[in-house]
Amino acid sequence: MNKNLFLKELKRNRKNLMIWSSIVIGFTFMVLAIFPYMAEMGEGITSLMESIPPEIGKAMGMDADTWSSILGFYSTYYGVYIIVLVSIFTTSTGATIISKEEKDHTSEFLLTRPISRKDIVVTKLISLFTLSLIIYGIQTTAAVIGMQLFAVTEVDWSVFIQMHLSGLVLILFFTTIGVLISMFVTPKKNFMGIVIGLTFGTYFLNAIGKSADAVSWISYFSPFNYLEITKDPTVAFNYLAACILLTLGVVMLILSNKIYGKKDIAG
Amino acid sequence: MKAIKVEKLNKHYGDFHALKDVSFEIDKGEVFGFIGPNGAGKSTAIRALLGLIQTSSGTAKILGHDIQLEGKLLRSKIGYLPSEVHYYDEMTSRELLEYSANFYTTSDTSKIDELAEYFELDLSKKINDLSFGNKKKCAIIQCFLHNPELLILDEPTSGLDPLMQNRFFELLETENKKGTTIFFSSHILSEIQRMCNRAAVIKEGEIIAVEEIQSLLQKQMKKVRVVFKDSPTEKTLPLGSQHEKWNENKLSFEYVGPISDLISWLNQHDLHDTVLQEPDLDSIFMNYYER
């Protein structure tokens, strides 16, 4: 790892990190702050839920219980928006952290310094995962604080931890896909569309598969299918899926390193 | 040990043969020119030496280190000045130079201010706000900070005004006296003449000559324009003239041969004005290498 490059990457991305952190902190607090009002409405909401077609409810990860505990309420938002928001930041950073140098023609500067391409990739990945863990840590902390402020009843923290571990695996998996994509897509492209499509797209694949039995096979193409974000304490953490997704992630990073090692840098 | 030793370097881009069996050697302490028209393969060869592109075949060693296997080590001894400067827009020149210096163990950051003053570069300005010439100055300073053993300069003077070009050449001369080897790539013949002992001429990816600058000069064609006071009756030109064009009392032609012969011929006539011009490289290739 090259310390000089590492520090520069953190500095270069700190503005984006601050913006996205504020977004996820704000969103987390907003969701948790709404909960007490929802809980007050209690029965009204339950009867409202019954009027919603069960397919839609399943797709959104909601059921009648959703509104009865803060974890249930939080899980529907965490599973959809928060993981996707954090992933958009980490995946787009992953997609640009190496390719931005090419887009801006600064790779020539970087690669003519006494640093090997492998060191560049390793250092950039360490920076990327440092940034990813920072935003993940910030969001988790915000959620813990929010839970304590707004929970009406006791919170089952083991369920919370499992939920957030599944979230972490998903976020890391998306991040590595971002890195690999940047090796194939021309750096002149804007990666944001691909990144949003990837994160929201795979979420909706899972949602569609869950809501209609006829197309349940669609879910298999979505990582969300394997790591369920739920407040149901009987659903165990899927260690196998987590291991497979993380291994796939490592394979993608190794592949990216190989591709970058042989790449011709255009002038 | 040679400063640079290139043997049969080839680079293909699909069907396009960008470098064809490029071979040359540069001694330590030498100022070696690399000359050819735009698109001849000068930058491609340099990019291959620096490890920016993978070569298709052939070997090259810089300061005894293989470019494929020991890239990191050899780049620590090289100062590279790119023809087109692209740096991090959001950094100031000072930040960029410090960032660059931190990659090397041999850097002397006190040189930043010294050289910025010498080249009149405002270090507090963002790269984004710098003009083309000022970016070039920043790039020049960058390649001297770590006391490199070898300087690789790709079109170093583009964007510099004549005053700065002069200061730059003076700096190069001082560095060379200290033992720094200089590999100087350019399409401007006069720069190569001023700086270099020897030069390789590259055309369409092939090295077509490696010559002493002196012999290159002797073979060099000049464009001559003459305005006579009165249209001369006798219209014979000195030996080695070609492509003569008359327009009343104005004459233009191309001349290859000893310069003293040309001057004594000019002396024999009553002249209003005369201009001796260096031809562009294309005409040198047309007139000398294809003859």
Side-chain angles (χ1 to χ4, degrees), chain A residues 112-223:
Chain A
T112 50
R113 301 309 103 183
I115 179 170
S116 67
R117 293 196 185 194
K118 195 181 149 210
D119 281 347
I120 292 175
V121 173
V122 169
T123 306
K124 292 219 172 216
L125 290 180
I126 293 175
S127 323
L128 170 64
F129 289 112
T130 306
L131 292 164
S132 305
L133 290 177
I134 290 175
I135 192 170
Y136 172 80
I138 287 175
Q139 192 278 326
T140 304
T141 312
V144 170
I145 295 170
M147 290 271 173
Q148 280 165 343
L149 286 177
F150 303 110
V152 185
T153 52
E154 190 70 17
V155 175
D156 185 347
W157 288 108
S158 66
V159 173
F160 177 85
I161 289 169
Q162 183 178 322
M163 212 187 273
H164 272 251
L165 273 184
S166 298
L168 178 62
V169 174
L170 287 169
I171 291 164
L172 292 178
F173 180 68
F174 282 123
T175 310
T176 57
I177 295 180
V179 176
L180 187 65
I181 286 176
S182 74
M183 292 295 149
F184 292 105
V185 181
T186 144
K188 300 228 160 33
K189 264 221 161 110
N190 186 350
F191 287 101
M192 220 46 184
I194 302 176
V195 168
I196 293 175
L198 179 74
T199 47
F200 264 115
T202 51
Y203 171 77
F204 281 116
L205 279 187
N206 185 42
I208 293 166
K210 284 257 156 61
S211 62
D213 290 341
V215 288
S216 61
W217 52 271
I218 279 187
S219 304
Y220 294 125
F221 295 105
S222 167

Side-chain angles (χ1 to χ4, degrees), chain A residues 2 4-5 8 11-12 101 105-106 108-109 111-115 117 119 261-262 264-267, chain B residues 11 13 47 51-54 72 75-76 80 82 86-88 90-91 95 99-100 102-104 142:
Chain A
N2 186 297
N4 190 32
L5 179 60
K8 202 215 86 186
K11 205 174 155 196
R12 199 176 194 193
E101 303 261 6
H105 302 283
T106 50
E108 185 180 75
F109 169 85
L111 288 171
T112 50
R113 301 309 103 183
I115 179 170
R117 293 196 185 194
D119 281 347
K262 294 211 167 78
D264 279 352
I265 304 300
Chain B
K11 174 67 186 175
Y13 289 106
R47 299 174 77 78
L52 289 168
I53 55 175
Q54 309 276 315
K72 184 177 167 178
R75 284 195 297 272
S76 69
Y80 167 58
H86 295 287
Y87 287 158
Y88 305 90
E90 74 277 8
M91 285 188 178
E95 282 169 339
Y99 175 51
S100 172
N102 279 335
F103 279 104
Y104 303 85
Q142 158 274 134

Side-chain angles (χ1 to χ4, degrees), chain B residues 95-109:
Chain B
E95 282 169 339
L96 186 277
L97 291 169
E98 282 171 354
Y99 175 51
S100 172
N102 279 335
F103 279 104
Y104 303 85
T105 49
T106 49
S107 289
D108 177 4
T109 42

Side-chain angles (χ1 to χ4, degrees), chain B residues 69-290:
Chain B
L69 307 172
E70 298 168 285
K72 184 177 167 178
L73 178 66
L74 68 87
R75 284 195 297 272
S76 69
K77 300 176 179 180
I78 295 178
Y80 167 58
L81 177 60
S83 59
E84 275 177 57
V85 182
H86 295 287
Y87 287 158
Y88 305 90
D89 283 345
E90 74 277 8
M91 285 188 178
T92 63
S93 301
R94 183 183 294 281
E95 282 169 339
L96 186 277
L97 291 169
E98 282 171 354
Y99 175 51
S100 172
N102 279 335
F103 279 104
Y104 303 85
T105 49
T106 49
S107 289
D108 177 4
T109 42
S110 69
K111 275 189 170 177
I112 294 178
D113 287 286
E114 197 184 301
L115 287 169
E117 203 177 317
Y118 183 68
F119 285 112
E120 297 172 19
L121 174 69
D122 181 356
L123 288 171
S124 60
K125 269 197 180 168
K126 291 221 158 132
I127 300 285
N128 203 15
D129 301 328
L130 294 183
S131 67
F132 185 69
N134 280 330
K135 275 187 199 165
K136 197 86 187 189
K137 291 180 190 171
C138 191
I140 290 174
I141 297 174
Q142 158 274 134
C143 69
F144 286 103
L145 293 179
H146 52 285
N147 296 311
E149 289 176 43
L150 168 69
L151 285 168
I152 296 184
L153 313 172
D154 192 0
E155 306 280 355
T157 56
S158 62
L160 290 184
D161 61 50
L163 177 72
M164 289 304 152
Q165 285 189 17
N166 245 325
R167 289 194 191 170
F168 175 57
F169 284 137
E170 277 165 20
L171 183 63
L172 287 181
E173 278 155 10
T174 331
E175 289 297 313
N176 181 240
K177 273 187 198 128
K178 286 193 242 164
T180 311
T181 310
I182 299 174
F183 183 60
F184 193 110
S185 166
S186 176
H187 65 271
I188 302 165
L189 204 56
S190 57
E191 288 181 3
I192 300 275
Q193 280 170 19
R194 168 166 179 183
M195 291 303 303
C196 305
N197 320 109
R198 288 192 308 143
V201 184
I202 185 167
K203 191 191 168 198
E204 287 166 10
E206 260 179 298
I207 301 278
I208 51 177
V210 179
E211 295 208 49
E212 301 281 328
I213 292 300
Q214 283 308 317
S215 64
L216 204 64
L217 275 179
Q218 277 162 17
K219 290 165 189 163
Q220 192 200 316
M221 179 194 77
K222 285 194 175 47
K223 281 186 177 167
V224 185
R225 278 186 290 147
V226 182
V227 184
F228 297 95
K229 278 200 172 140
D230 303 296
S231 195
T233 44
E234 205 221 343
K235 290 185 174 177
T236 50
L237 297 185
L239 199 67
S241 304
Q242 59 176 4
H243 295 143
E244 55 174 295
K245 272 182 208 143
W246 285 94
N247 184 5
E248 293 174 22
N249 63 334
K250 291 175 194 143
L251 165 68
S252 73
F253 61 96
E254 293 168 3
Y255 175 79
V256 186
I259 194 73
S260 51
D261 290 5
L262 178 64
I263 289 174
S264 60
W265 178 84
L266 289 170
N267 248 334
Q268 290 161 18
H269 295 85
D270 201 6
L271 301 180
H272 213 72
D273 188 21
T274 183
V275 177
L276 295 187
Q277 212 174 19
E278 182 180 75
D280 51 38
L281 262 179
D282 281 347
S283 24
I284 292 185
F285 289 123
M286 300 282 281
N287 284 279
Y288 172 62
Y289 289 104
E290 284 182 0

